[in-house]
Amino acid sequence: MPERSSVNLIDAGHRFVVAFVLCLLASSSLADDAAPANRLLVEAVDLVRASELEPSAEGKFALLKRAHDNLLSIVEHHPTTDLAVRLATGQWIGNISLTSVREAMNRARPADPRKAGQPIQVWRVGSGVVAVAIRSRGSEALVVDRNGVAALHDVDTGRLLRTWRHPGGLSNIDLTRGRRGGASTVAVSPRGRWTLTAGDDGTVELRDVGTGSLLNKWAHGHAVGAVAMSRNGRLALVGVGREALLVDVRELKTLRSWRGKSPVTAVAYAPDGQRILVGFADGRAVLGEAGTGKVLHEWTHPGSGGGGVMSATFSPDGRRVLTGAANRTAVIRDTTTGRTIRKWRVGSYRSTSVAISRDGRWVLTGDEGHEVELHDVETGRTVRRWRYNASAEAVAFSPDGRQALMGFADGVAILCDIRIAERRRSPVRTTVTSTGGCW
Protein backbone atom coordinates (compact mmCIF):
# COMPACT_ATOMS: atom_id res chain seq x y z
CA MET A 1 0.00 0.00 0.00
CA PRO A 2 1.46 3.40 -0.92
CA GLU A 3 2.21 5.93 1.77
CA ARG A 4 -0.46 8.59 2.27
CA SER A 5 2.06 11.30 1.47
CA SER A 6 2.38 9.91 -2.06
CA VAL A 7 -1.35 9.98 -2.77
CA ASN A 8 -3.39 13.05 -3.65
CA LEU A 9 -5.89 14.07 -0.99
CA ILE A 10 -8.81 13.34 -3.30
CA ASP A 11 -7.53 11.84 -6.55
CA ALA A 12 -10.74 10.44 -7.99
CA GLY A 13 -14.48 10.89 -7.77
CA HIS A 14 -15.01 7.57 -5.97
CA ARG A 15 -12.95 8.84 -3.01
CA PHE A 16 -15.37 11.70 -2.64
CA VAL A 17 -18.25 9.23 -2.70
CA VAL A 18 -16.58 7.12 -0.01
CA ALA A 19 -16.16 10.12 2.29
CA PHE A 20 -19.73 11.22 1.66
CA VAL A 21 -21.16 7.77 2.39
CA LEU A 22 -19.15 7.60 5.60
CA CYS A 23 -20.70 10.87 6.68
CA LEU A 24 -24.23 9.61 5.99
CA LEU A 25 -23.62 6.35 7.83
CA ALA A 26 -22.19 8.19 10.83
CA SER A 27 -25.08 10.65 10.99
CA SER A 28 -27.58 8.01 12.06
CA SER A 29 -25.98 7.63 15.48
CA LEU A 30 -24.91 11.18 16.16
CA ALA A 31 -26.37 14.17 17.96
CA ASP A 32 -28.78 16.68 16.40
CA ASP A 33 -25.96 18.74 14.91
CA ALA A 34 -24.68 15.85 12.77
CA ALA A 35 -26.40 17.19 9.66
CA PRO A 36 -24.60 20.57 9.60
CA ALA A 37 -21.32 18.80 10.42
CA ASN A 38 -21.86 16.48 7.45
CA ARG A 39 -22.58 19.43 5.17
CA LEU A 40 -19.37 21.14 6.25
CA LEU A 41 -17.37 17.99 5.55
CA VAL A 42 -18.90 17.47 2.10
CA GLU A 43 -18.12 21.10 1.24
CA ALA A 44 -14.55 20.65 2.49
CA VAL A 45 -14.09 17.59 0.27
CA ASP A 46 -15.39 19.56 -2.73
CA LEU A 47 -12.97 22.40 -1.96
CA VAL A 48 -10.00 20.02 -1.73
CA ARG A 49 -10.95 18.46 -5.08
CA ALA A 50 -11.22 21.91 -6.64
CA SER A 51 -7.81 22.88 -5.24
CA GLU A 52 -6.15 20.00 -7.10
CA LEU A 53 -7.36 21.44 -10.39
CA GLU A 54 -6.53 25.06 -9.52
CA PRO A 55 -3.43 26.25 -11.46
CA SER A 56 -2.49 29.28 -9.34
CA ALA A 57 -0.82 29.02 -5.92
CA GLU A 58 -3.01 31.82 -4.55
CA GLY A 59 -6.21 30.13 -5.70
CA LYS A 60 -5.11 26.71 -4.43
CA PHE A 61 -4.24 28.17 -1.02
CA ALA A 62 -7.59 30.01 -0.77
CA LEU A 63 -9.57 26.84 -1.53
CA LEU A 64 -7.59 24.74 0.94
CA LYS A 65 -7.92 27.37 3.64
CA ARG A 66 -11.72 27.32 3.24
CA ALA A 67 -11.66 23.52 3.50
CA HIS A 68 -9.43 23.75 6.60
CA ASP A 69 -11.79 26.28 8.20
CA ASN A 70 -14.76 23.97 7.54
CA LEU A 71 -13.05 21.08 9.31
CA LEU A 72 -12.11 23.29 12.26
CA SER A 73 -15.70 24.50 12.43
CA ILE A 74 -16.87 20.89 12.80
CA VAL A 75 -14.47 20.37 15.71
CA GLU A 76 -15.34 23.66 17.45
CA HIS A 77 -19.08 24.02 16.82
CA HIS A 78 -20.24 20.39 16.61
CA PRO A 79 -17.98 18.69 19.22
CA THR A 80 -20.52 15.95 20.07
CA THR A 81 -20.46 14.46 16.58
CA ASP A 82 -18.38 11.47 15.54
CA LEU A 83 -16.87 13.58 12.76
CA ALA A 84 -15.56 16.14 15.27
CA VAL A 85 -14.00 13.45 17.45
CA ARG A 86 -12.28 11.81 14.49
CA LEU A 87 -10.98 15.10 13.10
CA ALA A 88 -9.76 16.31 16.51
CA THR A 89 -7.85 13.08 17.10
CA GLY A 90 -6.13 13.16 13.71
CA GLN A 91 -8.10 10.34 12.09
CA TRP A 92 -8.82 10.07 8.36
CA ILE A 93 -12.35 10.24 6.98
CA GLY A 94 -12.22 8.58 3.61
CA ASN A 95 -9.09 10.16 2.15
CA ILE A 96 -9.17 13.44 4.06
CA SER A 97 -8.06 14.58 7.52
CA LEU A 98 -7.57 17.88 9.31
CA THR A 99 -3.79 17.37 9.32
CA SER A 100 -3.59 16.47 5.63
CA VAL A 101 -5.56 19.56 4.61
CA ARG A 102 -3.44 21.77 6.88
CA GLU A 103 -0.23 20.36 5.39
CA ALA A 104 -1.52 20.81 1.83
CA MET A 105 -2.52 24.39 2.67
CA ASN A 106 0.95 25.15 4.02
CA ARG A 107 2.59 23.67 0.92
CA ALA A 108 0.41 25.84 -1.30
CA ARG A 109 0.95 29.03 0.72
CA PRO A 110 2.14 31.78 -1.67
CA ALA A 111 5.70 33.03 -1.26
CA ASP A 112 5.94 35.92 1.17
CA PRO A 113 8.29 38.73 0.10
CA ARG A 114 8.59 40.14 3.62
CA LYS A 115 11.91 40.17 5.38
CA ALA A 116 12.25 37.27 7.80
CA GLY A 117 11.14 38.30 11.29
CA GLN A 118 9.40 41.45 10.04
CA PRO A 119 6.18 42.74 11.68
CA ILE A 120 3.00 41.73 9.87
CA GLN A 121 0.56 43.75 11.98
CA VAL A 122 0.92 46.29 14.79
CA TRP A 123 -1.92 47.11 17.19
CA ARG A 124 -2.09 49.62 20.04
CA VAL A 125 -4.37 49.36 23.09
CA GLY A 126 -5.13 51.79 25.93
CA SER A 127 -2.50 50.62 28.42
CA GLY A 128 0.14 47.91 28.85
CA VAL A 129 -0.58 44.58 27.17
CA VAL A 130 -0.89 41.66 29.62
CA ALA A 131 -2.19 38.81 27.43
CA VAL A 132 -2.25 37.86 23.74
CA ALA A 133 -3.62 34.93 21.76
CA ILE A 134 -4.34 33.91 18.18
CA ARG A 135 -7.55 31.95 17.75
CA SER A 136 -7.46 28.39 16.38
CA ARG A 137 -8.23 29.41 12.79
CA GLY A 138 -5.34 31.86 12.86
CA SER A 139 -7.47 34.69 11.48
CA GLU A 140 -8.15 36.64 14.68
CA ALA A 141 -5.78 38.04 17.32
CA LEU A 142 -6.81 38.85 20.87
CA VAL A 143 -5.01 41.55 22.87
CA VAL A 144 -5.86 42.31 26.53
CA ASP A 145 -4.53 45.38 28.35
CA ARG A 146 -3.86 46.14 32.00
CA ASN A 147 -7.20 47.96 32.37
CA GLY A 148 -9.04 44.76 31.47
CA VAL A 149 -9.97 45.86 27.95
CA ALA A 150 -9.93 43.00 25.41
CA ALA A 151 -9.63 43.82 21.72
CA LEU A 152 -10.20 41.27 18.94
CA HIS A 153 -8.49 42.07 15.60
CA ASP A 154 -8.55 40.60 12.10
CA VAL A 155 -5.05 39.26 11.39
CA ASP A 156 -5.13 39.79 7.61
CA THR A 157 -6.48 43.36 7.57
CA GLY A 158 -5.58 44.55 11.07
CA ARG A 159 -9.19 45.73 11.53
CA LEU A 160 -10.66 45.95 15.05
CA LEU A 161 -13.59 43.53 15.27
CA ARG A 162 -14.88 44.10 18.81
CA THR A 163 -13.89 45.04 22.36
CA TRP A 164 -15.11 44.36 25.90
CA ARG A 165 -13.86 45.19 29.39
CA HIS A 166 -13.53 43.65 32.82
CA PRO A 167 -15.22 46.25 35.09
CA GLY A 168 -12.75 47.98 37.40
CA GLY A 169 -9.68 46.67 35.61
CA LEU A 170 -7.55 43.60 36.25
CA SER A 171 -6.16 42.38 39.55
CA ASN A 172 -3.27 44.62 40.57
CA ILE A 173 -1.77 42.83 43.54
CA ASP A 174 1.96 42.86 44.20
CA LEU A 175 3.39 39.35 43.84
CA THR A 176 6.97 39.41 42.59
CA ARG A 177 9.41 42.16 43.57
CA GLY A 178 7.21 45.16 42.87
CA ARG A 179 5.75 43.76 39.65
CA ARG A 180 2.05 44.63 39.59
CA GLY A 181 -0.69 42.98 37.55
CA GLY A 182 0.27 40.96 34.51
CA ALA A 183 -0.71 38.12 32.22
CA SER A 184 -1.35 35.75 35.14
CA THR A 185 -4.69 37.47 35.78
CA VAL A 186 -5.90 36.79 32.23
CA ALA A 187 -6.42 33.34 30.69
CA VAL A 188 -7.32 32.48 27.11
CA SER A 189 -8.62 29.00 26.33
CA PRO A 190 -6.37 26.77 24.17
CA ARG A 191 -8.44 27.40 21.03
CA GLY A 192 -9.05 31.06 21.83
CA ARG A 193 -12.81 30.62 22.33
CA TRP A 194 -13.06 32.02 25.87
CA THR A 195 -11.29 34.47 28.15
CA LEU A 196 -11.06 34.40 31.92
CA THR A 197 -10.16 37.66 33.72
CA ALA A 198 -9.61 38.45 37.39
CA GLY A 199 -10.45 41.93 38.71
CA ASP A 200 -9.19 44.15 41.51
CA ASP A 201 -12.19 43.27 43.67
CA GLY A 202 -11.64 39.50 43.41
CA THR A 203 -14.25 38.98 40.70
CA VAL A 204 -13.59 36.47 37.90
CA GLU A 205 -15.39 36.73 34.56
CA LEU A 206 -15.76 34.16 31.77
CA ARG A 207 -16.50 35.62 28.31
CA ASP A 208 -17.03 34.37 24.78
CA VAL A 209 -14.25 35.72 22.54
CA GLY A 210 -16.37 35.57 19.39
CA THR A 211 -19.16 37.76 20.75
CA GLY A 212 -17.62 39.41 23.82
CA SER A 213 -20.68 38.31 25.84
CA LEU A 214 -20.44 37.52 29.57
CA LEU A 215 -21.03 33.80 30.21
CA ASN A 216 -20.46 33.64 33.95
CA LYS A 217 -19.12 35.66 36.86
CA TRP A 218 -18.19 34.97 40.48
CA ALA A 219 -16.19 36.57 43.30
CA HIS A 220 -13.52 35.48 45.78
CA GLY A 221 -13.04 36.99 49.21
CA HIS A 222 -9.39 37.86 48.49
CA ALA A 223 -7.40 39.23 45.57
CA VAL A 224 -6.84 36.82 42.68
CA GLY A 225 -3.22 36.42 41.53
CA ALA A 226 -3.54 34.00 38.61
CA VAL A 227 -6.15 32.24 36.47
CA ALA A 228 -6.28 29.43 33.90
CA MET A 229 -9.04 27.38 32.31
CA SER A 230 -9.71 23.93 30.93
CA ARG A 231 -10.00 23.22 27.22
CA ASN A 232 -13.80 23.09 27.29
CA GLY A 233 -14.16 26.16 29.51
CA ARG A 234 -16.01 24.26 32.26
CA LEU A 235 -13.24 24.36 34.90
CA ALA A 236 -11.15 27.29 36.11
CA LEU A 237 -7.92 27.21 38.09
CA VAL A 238 -7.73 30.32 40.30
CA GLY A 239 -4.82 31.44 42.48
CA VAL A 240 -6.10 33.17 45.62
CA GLY A 241 -3.41 34.08 48.14
CA ARG A 242 -1.32 30.97 48.78
CA GLU A 243 -3.89 28.59 47.37
CA ALA A 244 -4.84 27.39 43.87
CA LEU A 245 -8.54 26.51 43.61
CA LEU A 246 -10.15 24.30 40.97
CA VAL A 247 -13.59 25.78 40.30
CA ASP A 248 -16.54 24.34 38.37
CA VAL A 249 -17.53 27.37 36.27
CA ARG A 250 -21.13 26.25 35.72
CA GLU A 251 -22.00 25.35 39.31
CA LEU A 252 -19.53 27.86 40.84
CA LYS A 253 -18.29 25.16 43.15
CA THR A 254 -14.71 24.64 44.39
CA LEU A 255 -13.75 21.04 43.66
CA ARG A 256 -10.24 20.88 45.20
CA SER A 257 -7.20 22.99 46.05
CA TRP A 258 -3.40 23.05 46.25
CA ARG A 259 -1.64 25.17 48.87
CA GLY A 260 1.89 26.62 49.09
CA LYS A 261 4.01 28.66 51.50
CA SER A 262 3.93 31.81 49.34
CA PRO A 263 1.42 33.52 47.01
CA VAL A 264 0.38 31.80 43.80
CA THR A 265 1.96 33.66 40.87
CA ALA A 266 1.13 31.45 37.87
CA VAL A 267 -1.23 28.58 37.02
CA ALA A 268 -1.81 26.39 33.95
CA TYR A 269 -4.27 23.66 32.96
CA ALA A 270 -3.26 20.65 30.82
CA PRO A 271 -5.06 20.32 27.46
CA ASP A 272 -6.36 16.85 28.38
CA GLY A 273 -7.82 18.19 31.64
CA GLN A 274 -5.94 15.62 33.73
CA ARG A 275 -3.25 17.79 35.33
CA ILE A 276 -2.65 21.30 36.66
CA LEU A 277 0.50 23.35 37.20
CA VAL A 278 0.90 25.92 39.97
CA GLY A 279 3.82 28.34 40.39
CA PHE A 280 4.55 30.25 43.60
CA ALA A 281 6.36 33.47 44.51
CA ASP A 282 9.15 31.53 46.25
CA GLY A 283 10.07 29.74 42.99
CA ARG A 284 8.28 26.49 43.85
CA ALA A 285 6.22 24.67 41.20
CA VAL A 286 3.68 21.88 41.70
CA LEU A 287 2.32 19.50 39.07
CA GLY A 288 -0.93 18.02 40.35
CA GLU A 289 -3.64 15.59 39.33
CA ALA A 290 -6.82 17.54 38.61
CA GLY A 291 -9.19 14.68 39.36
CA THR A 292 -7.86 13.75 42.80
CA GLY A 293 -5.76 16.71 43.95
CA LYS A 294 -2.70 14.46 44.27
CA VAL A 295 0.69 16.15 43.85
CA LEU A 296 2.59 14.31 41.09
CA HIS A 297 5.82 16.31 41.01
CA GLU A 298 7.21 19.25 42.95
CA TRP A 299 10.34 21.29 42.33
CA THR A 300 11.92 24.68 42.92
CA HIS A 301 12.80 26.74 39.89
CA PRO A 302 16.63 26.59 39.63
CA GLY A 303 18.23 29.59 41.29
CA SER A 304 15.00 31.52 41.56
CA GLY A 305 16.09 32.93 44.92
CA GLY A 306 12.59 33.98 45.90
CA GLY A 307 12.00 35.72 42.58
CA GLY A 308 9.10 33.50 41.74
CA VAL A 309 7.60 31.58 38.84
CA MET A 310 6.19 34.38 36.68
CA SER A 311 4.66 32.32 33.87
CA ALA A 312 3.70 28.70 33.22
CA THR A 313 2.15 26.64 30.42
CA PHE A 314 1.66 23.09 29.16
CA SER A 315 2.71 21.92 25.71
CA PRO A 316 -0.30 21.30 23.40
CA ASP A 317 0.11 17.52 23.81
CA GLY A 318 0.33 17.87 27.61
CA ARG A 319 3.59 15.93 27.83
CA ARG A 320 5.72 18.88 28.89
CA VAL A 321 5.47 21.94 31.10
CA LEU A 322 7.29 25.22 30.60
CA THR A 323 7.97 27.76 33.34
CA GLY A 324 9.61 31.17 33.27
CA ALA A 325 11.06 32.69 36.44
CA ALA A 326 12.22 36.03 37.77
CA ASN A 327 15.85 34.87 37.67
CA ARG A 328 15.94 35.04 33.84
CA THR A 329 15.46 31.30 33.32
CA ALA A 330 12.96 29.26 31.35
CA VAL A 331 12.78 25.51 31.94
CA ILE A 332 10.88 22.79 30.07
CA ARG A 333 10.15 19.54 31.91
CA ASP A 334 8.63 16.13 31.24
CA THR A 335 5.25 15.80 32.98
CA THR A 336 5.59 12.03 33.50
CA THR A 337 9.01 11.98 35.13
CA GLY A 338 9.44 15.62 36.21
CA ARG A 339 12.83 15.51 34.47
CA THR A 340 14.32 18.75 33.06
CA ILE A 341 14.52 18.56 29.24
CA ARG A 342 15.88 22.03 28.44
CA LYS A 343 16.87 25.15 30.32
CA TRP A 344 17.50 28.57 28.79
CA ARG A 345 18.99 31.76 30.12
CA VAL A 346 16.40 34.29 28.95
CA GLY A 347 17.15 37.79 27.65
CA SER A 348 18.73 40.42 29.84
CA TYR A 349 16.20 40.63 32.67
CA ARG A 350 13.37 38.72 34.34
CA SER A 351 11.26 36.34 32.27
CA THR A 352 7.64 37.50 32.00
CA SER A 353 5.90 35.10 29.62
CA VAL A 354 6.39 31.79 27.81
CA ALA A 355 4.69 29.82 25.02
CA ILE A 356 5.15 26.49 23.22
CA SER A 357 4.29 25.94 19.56
CA ARG A 358 1.61 23.41 18.65
CA ASP A 359 4.15 20.93 17.26
CA GLY A 360 6.29 21.27 20.41
CA ARG A 361 9.40 22.27 18.47
CA TRP A 362 9.66 25.95 19.44
CA VAL A 363 9.51 27.97 22.63
CA LEU A 364 8.88 31.72 22.86
CA THR A 365 10.00 33.73 25.89
CA GLY A 366 9.48 37.39 26.75
CA ASP A 367 11.37 39.39 29.36
CA GLU A 368 11.47 42.75 31.09
CA GLY A 369 14.69 43.54 29.21
CA HIS A 370 12.61 44.36 26.09
CA GLU A 371 13.36 41.11 24.26
CA VAL A 372 11.38 38.19 22.83
CA GLU A 373 13.37 35.06 22.02
CA LEU A 374 12.64 32.00 19.89
CA HIS A 375 14.25 28.76 21.12
CA ASP A 376 14.64 25.38 19.40
CA VAL A 377 13.57 22.69 21.88
CA GLU A 378 15.38 19.87 20.06
CA THR A 379 18.81 21.55 19.92
CA GLY A 380 18.48 24.01 22.78
CA ARG A 381 19.60 26.87 20.49
CA THR A 382 18.20 30.37 20.71
CA VAL A 383 17.56 31.03 17.00
CA ARG A 384 15.96 34.49 16.89
CA ARG A 385 15.66 37.60 19.05
CA TRP A 386 13.25 40.50 18.64
CA ARG A 387 14.00 43.71 20.51
CA TYR A 388 11.58 46.54 21.28
CA ASN A 389 11.69 49.62 23.51
CA ALA A 390 9.38 48.28 26.26
CA SER A 391 9.08 45.21 28.47
CA ALA A 392 7.70 42.13 26.67
CA GLU A 393 4.68 41.13 28.78
CA ALA A 394 2.98 38.40 26.72
CA VAL A 395 3.82 36.02 23.86
CA ALA A 396 1.85 33.52 21.76
CA PHE A 397 2.27 31.38 18.65
CA SER A 398 -0.11 31.28 15.70
CA PRO A 399 -1.78 27.87 15.26
CA ASP A 400 0.53 26.98 12.35
CA GLY A 401 3.64 28.10 14.25
CA ARG A 402 4.66 30.54 11.51
CA GLN A 403 3.99 33.74 13.46
CA ALA A 404 4.64 35.16 16.93
CA LEU A 405 2.31 37.63 18.66
CA MET A 406 4.04 39.82 21.24
CA GLY A 407 2.51 42.25 23.74
CA PHE A 408 4.51 45.05 25.36
CA ALA A 409 4.21 47.25 28.45
CA ASP A 410 3.59 50.42 26.42
CA GLY A 411 0.35 49.04 24.98
CA VAL A 412 1.71 47.84 21.64
CA ALA A 413 1.11 44.34 20.25
CA ILE A 414 3.18 43.18 17.27
CA LEU A 415 2.57 40.15 15.06
CA CYS A 416 5.84 38.98 13.49
CA ASP A 417 6.93 36.39 10.96
CA ILE A 418 9.03 33.59 12.50
CA ARG A 419 11.16 32.43 9.57
CA ILE A 420 14.79 31.90 10.54
CA ALA A 421 18.04 31.72 8.67
CA GLU A 422 19.32 28.15 8.57
CA ARG A 423 22.76 27.04 9.82
CA ARG A 424 23.51 30.16 11.81
CA ARG A 425 25.43 29.78 15.04
CA SER A 426 24.24 33.02 16.59
CA PRO A 427 20.59 34.15 16.91
CA VAL A 428 19.08 36.30 14.16
CA ARG A 429 18.43 39.72 15.70
CA THR A 430 15.51 41.91 14.66
CA THR A 431 14.61 45.27 16.19
CA VAL A 432 10.93 46.17 15.76
CA THR A 433 9.18 49.52 16.16
CA SER A 434 5.64 50.58 17.05
CA THR A 435 5.11 51.72 13.45
CA GLY A 436 5.91 48.29 12.00
CA GLY A 437 9.48 49.02 11.01
CA CYS A 438 12.30 46.57 11.60
CA TRP A 439 16.05 46.29 11.13
Coordinates of all heavy atoms in Angstrom, one line a residue, residues 88 188-191 194 228-235 268-277 287-288 290 312-322 335 356-358:
A88 N -10.6 15.8 15.4 CA -9.8 16.3 16.5 C -8.7 15.4 16.9 O -7.6 15.8 17.5 CB -10.7 16.6 17.7
V188 N -6.6 32.7 28.4 CA -7.3 32.5 27.1 C -7.4 31.0 26.9 O -6.3 30.3 27.0 CB -6.6 33.2 26.0 CG1 -7.4 33.0 24.7 CG2 -6.4 34.7 26.3
S189 N -8.5 30.4 26.5 CA -8.6 29.0 26.3 C -7.7 28.5 25.2 O -7.3 29.3 24.3 CB -10.1 28.6 26.0 OG -10.5 29.2 24.8
P190 N -7.3 27.3 25.2 CA -6.4 26.8 24.2 C -6.7 27.1 22.7 O -5.9 27.4 21.9 CB -6.4 25.3 24.4 CG -6.7 25.1 25.9 CD -7.7 26.2 26.1
R191 N -8.0 27.1 22.4 CA -8.4 27.4 21.0 C -8.9 28.9 20.9 O -9.3 29.2 19.8 CB -9.6 26.5 20.6 CG -9.2 25.0 20.5 CD -10.3 24.2 20.0 NE -9.9 22.8 19.9 CZ -9.2 22.2 18.9 NH1 -8.8 22.9 17.9 NH2 -8.9 20.9 19.0
W194 N -12.6 31.3 24.7 CA -13.1 32.0 25.9 C -11.9 32.8 26.5 O -10.7 32.4 26.4 CB -13.6 31.0 26.9 CG -14.8 30.2 26.4 CD1 -16.1 30.6 26.2 CD2 -14.7 28.8 26.0 NE1 -16.8 29.5 25.7 CE2 -16.0 28.4 25.5 CE3 -13.7 27.9 25.9 CZ2 -16.3 27.2 25.1 CZ3 -14.0 26.6 25.5 CH2 -15.3 26.3 25.1
A228 N -6.4 30.3 35.1 CA -6.3 29.4 33.9 C -7.6 28.7 33.7 O -8.4 28.7 34.6 CB -5.1 28.4 34.1
M229 N -7.8 28.1 32.5 CA -9.0 27.4 32.3 C -8.8 26.1 31.5 O -7.8 25.9 30.8 CB -10.1 28.3 31.6 CG -9.8 28.5 30.1 SD -11.2 29.4 29.4 CE -10.6 31.1 29.8
S230 N -9.8 25.2 31.7 CA -9.7 23.9 30.9 C -10.0 24.1 29.5 O -10.6 25.2 29.1 CB -10.7 22.9 31.5 OG -12.0 23.4 31.4
R231 N -9.8 23.1 28.7 CA -10.0 23.2 27.2 C -11.4 23.5 26.9 O -11.7 24.3 25.9 CB -9.5 21.9 26.6 CG -9.5 21.9 25.1 CD -9.1 20.6 24.5 NE -8.8 20.6 23.1 CZ -7.6 20.8 22.6 NH1 -6.6 21.0 23.4 NH2 -7.4 20.8 21.3
N232 N -12.4 22.9 27.6 CA -13.8 23.1 27.3 C -14.4 24.3 28.0 O -15.6 24.5 27.9 CB -14.6 21.8 27.6 CG -14.5 21.4 29.0 OD1 -14.0 22.1 29.9 ND2 -15.0 20.2 29.3
G233 N -13.6 25.0 28.8 CA -14.2 26.2 29.5 C -15.0 25.9 30.7 O -15.6 26.8 31.3
R234 N -15.1 24.6 31.1 CA -16.0 24.3 32.3 C -15.3 24.4 33.6 O -16.0 24.5 34.6 CB -16.5 22.8 32.1 CG -17.4 22.7 30.9 CD -18.1 21.3 30.9 NE -18.9 21.0 32.1 CZ -19.6 19.9 32.2 NH1 -19.5 19.0 31.3 NH2 -20.3 19.7 33.3
L235 N -14.0 24.3 33.6 CA -13.2 24.4 34.9 C -12.2 25.5 34.9 O -11.6 25.8 33.8 CB -12.5 23.1 35.2 CG -13.3 21.8 35.3 CD1 -12.5 20.6 35.4 CD2 -14.3 21.9 36.5
A268 N -1.6 26.9 35.3 CA -1.8 26.4 34.0 C -2.6 25.1 34.1 O -2.5 24.4 35.0 CB -0.5 26.1 33.2
Y269 N -3.4 24.8 33.0 CA -4.3 23.7 33.0 C -3.9 22.8 31.7 O -3.8 23.4 30.6 CB -5.7 24.1 32.8 CG -6.7 23.1 33.4 CD1 -7.4 23.4 34.6 CD2 -7.0 22.0 32.8 CE1 -8.3 22.5 35.2 CE2 -8.0 21.1 33.3 CZ -8.6 21.4 34.5 OH -9.5 20.5 35.0
A270 N -3.7 21.5 31.9 CA -3.3 20.7 30.8 C -4.4 20.5 29.8 O -5.6 20.5 30.1 CB -2.9 19.3 31.4
P271 N -4.0 20.4 28.5 CA -5.1 20.3 27.5 C -6.0 19.1 27.6 O -7.2 19.2 27.3 CB -4.2 20.2 26.2 CG -2.9 20.8 26.5 CD -2.7 20.5 27.9
D272 N -5.5 18.0 28.2 CA -6.4 16.8 28.4 C -7.2 16.9 29.7 O -8.0 16.0 29.9 CB -5.5 15.6 28.4 CG -4.5 15.5 29.5 OD1 -4.5 16.4 30.4 OD2 -3.8 14.5 29.6
G273 N -7.0 18.0 30.4 CA -7.8 18.2 31.6 C -7.4 17.3 32.8 O -8.1 17.4 33.9
Q274 N -6.3 16.6 32.7 CA -5.9 15.6 33.7 C -5.0 16.2 34.8 O -5.0 15.7 35.9 CB -5.3 14.4 33.1 CG -6.1 13.6 32.1 CD -7.4 13.1 32.7 OE1 -7.4 12.5 33.8 NE2 -8.5 13.4 32.1
R275 N -4.3 17.3 34.4 CA -3.3 17.8 35.3 C -3.3 19.3 35.4 O -3.8 20.0 34.5 CB -1.9 17.3 34.9 CG -1.6 15.9 35.1 CD -0.6 15.3 34.1 NE -1.1 15.4 32.8 CZ -0.5 15.2 31.7 NH1 0.8 14.8 31.8 NH2 -1.0 15.2 30.5
I276 N -2.7 19.8 36.5 CA -2.6 21.3 36.7 C -1.2 21.6 37.1 O -0.5 20.8 37.6 CB -3.6 21.8 37.7 CG1 -3.4 21.2 39.1 CG2 -5.1 21.6 37.3 CD1 -2.4 21.9 40.0
L277 N -0.8 22.9 36.8 CA 0.5 23.4 37.2 C 0.3 24.6 38.0 O -0.4 25.5 37.5 CB 1.4 23.6 36.0 CG 2.8 24.1 36.2 CD1 3.6 23.1 36.9 CD2 3.4 24.5 34.8
L287 N 3.1 20.2 40.1 CA 2.3 19.5 39.1 C 1.4 18.6 39.8 O 1.8 17.6 40.5 CB 3.2 18.7 38.1 CG 2.5 18.0 37.0 CD1 2.0 19.0 36.0 CD2 3.5 17.1 36.2
G288 N 0.1 18.8 39.6 CA -0.9 18.0 40.3 C -1.9 17.3 39.4 O -2.1 17.6 38.3
A290 N -5.6 16.7 38.5 CA -6.8 17.5 38.6 C -8.0 16.7 39.2 O -8.8 17.3 40.0 CB -7.2 18.1 37.2
A312 N 3.7 30.2 33.3 CA 3.7 28.7 33.2 C 2.7 28.3 32.2 O 1.7 28.9 32.0 CB 3.3 28.1 34.6
T313 N 3.0 27.2 31.5 CA 2.1 26.6 30.4 C 2.5 25.2 30.2 O 3.6 24.7 30.5 CB 2.3 27.4 29.1 OG1 1.3 27.0 28.2 CG2 3.7 27.2 28.5
F314 N 1.5 24.5 29.6 CA 1.7 23.1 29.2 C 1.9 23.1 27.7 O 1.4 24.0 26.9 CB 0.4 22.3 29.4 CG 0.3 21.8 30.8 CD1 -0.3 22.5 31.8 CD2 0.7 20.5 31.2 CE1 -0.5 22.1 33.1 CE2 0.6 20.0 32.5 CZ 0.0 20.8 33.5
S315 N 2.6 22.1 27.2 CA 2.7 21.9 25.7 C 1.3 21.5 25.2 O 0.5 20.9 26.0 CB 3.8 20.9 25.4 OG 3.4 19.6 25.9
P316 N 1.0 21.7 23.9 CA -0.3 21.3 23.4 C -0.6 19.8 23.6 O -1.8 19.5 23.7 CB -0.2 21.7 21.9 CG 0.8 22.8 21.9 CD 1.8 22.5 22.9
D317 N 0.4 18.9 23.6 CA 0.1 17.5 23.8 C 0.1 17.1 25.3 O -0.1 16.0 25.6 CB 1.1 16.6 23.0 CG 2.6 16.9 23.5 OD1 2.8 17.5 24.5 OD2 3.5 16.3 22.8
G318 N 0.4 18.1 26.2 CA 0.3 17.9 27.6 C 1.5 17.1 28.2 O 1.5 16.8 29.4
R319 N 2.5 16.8 27.4 CA 3.6 15.9 27.8 C 4.7 16.7 28.5 O 5.6 16.1 29.1 CB 4.2 15.1 26.7 CG 3.2 14.1 26.1 CD 3.8 13.4 24.9 NE 2.9 12.4 24.3 CZ 3.2 11.7 23.2 NH1 4.4 11.8 22.7 NH2 2.3 10.9 22.8
R320 N 4.7 18.0 28.3 CA 5.7 18.9 28.9 C 5.1 20.1 29.5 O 4.0 20.6 29.2 CB 6.7 19.3 27.8 CG 7.5 18.1 27.2 CD 8.4 18.5 26.0 NE 9.1 17.4 25.5 CZ 10.0 17.5 24.5 NH1 10.2 18.6 23.9 NH2 10.7 16.4 24.1
V321 N 5.9 20.7 30.5 CA 5.5 21.9 31.1 C 6.6 22.9 30.9 O 7.8 22.5 31.0 CB 5.1 21.8 32.6 CG1 3.8 21.1 32.8 CG2 6.2 21.1 33.4
L322 N 6.3 24.2 30.8 CA 7.3 25.2 30.6 C 7.0 26.3 31.6 O 5.9 26.8 31.8 CB 7.2 25.8 29.2 CG 8.1 27.0 28.8 CD1 9.6 26.6 28.9 CD2 7.7 27.6 27.5
T335 N 6.3 15.9 32.0 CA 5.2 15.8 33.0 C 5.2 14.4 33.6 O 4.6 14.3 34.7 CB 3.9 16.2 32.4 OG1 3.6 15.3 31.2 CG2 3.8 17.6 31.9
I356 N 4.6 27.6 24.0 CA 5.2 26.5 23.2 C 4.3 26.3 21.9 O 3.1 26.4 22.0 CB 5.1 25.2 24.0 CG1 5.7 25.3 25.4 CG2 5.7 24.0 23.3 CD1 5.6 24.1 26.3
S357 N 5.0 26.1 20.8 CA 4.3 25.9 19.6 C 3.5 24.6 19.6 O 3.8 23.7 20.4 CB 5.3 25.9 18.4 OG 6.1 24.8 18.5
R358 N 2.5 24.6 18.7 CA 1.6 23.4 18.6 C 2.4 22.1 18.4 O 2.0 21.0 18.9 CB 0.5 23.6 17.6 CG -0.5 22.5 17.5 CD -1.6 22.8 16.6 NE -2.5 23.8 17.2 CZ -3.6 24.2 16.7 NH1 -4.0 23.8 15.5 NH2 -4.4 25.1 17.3

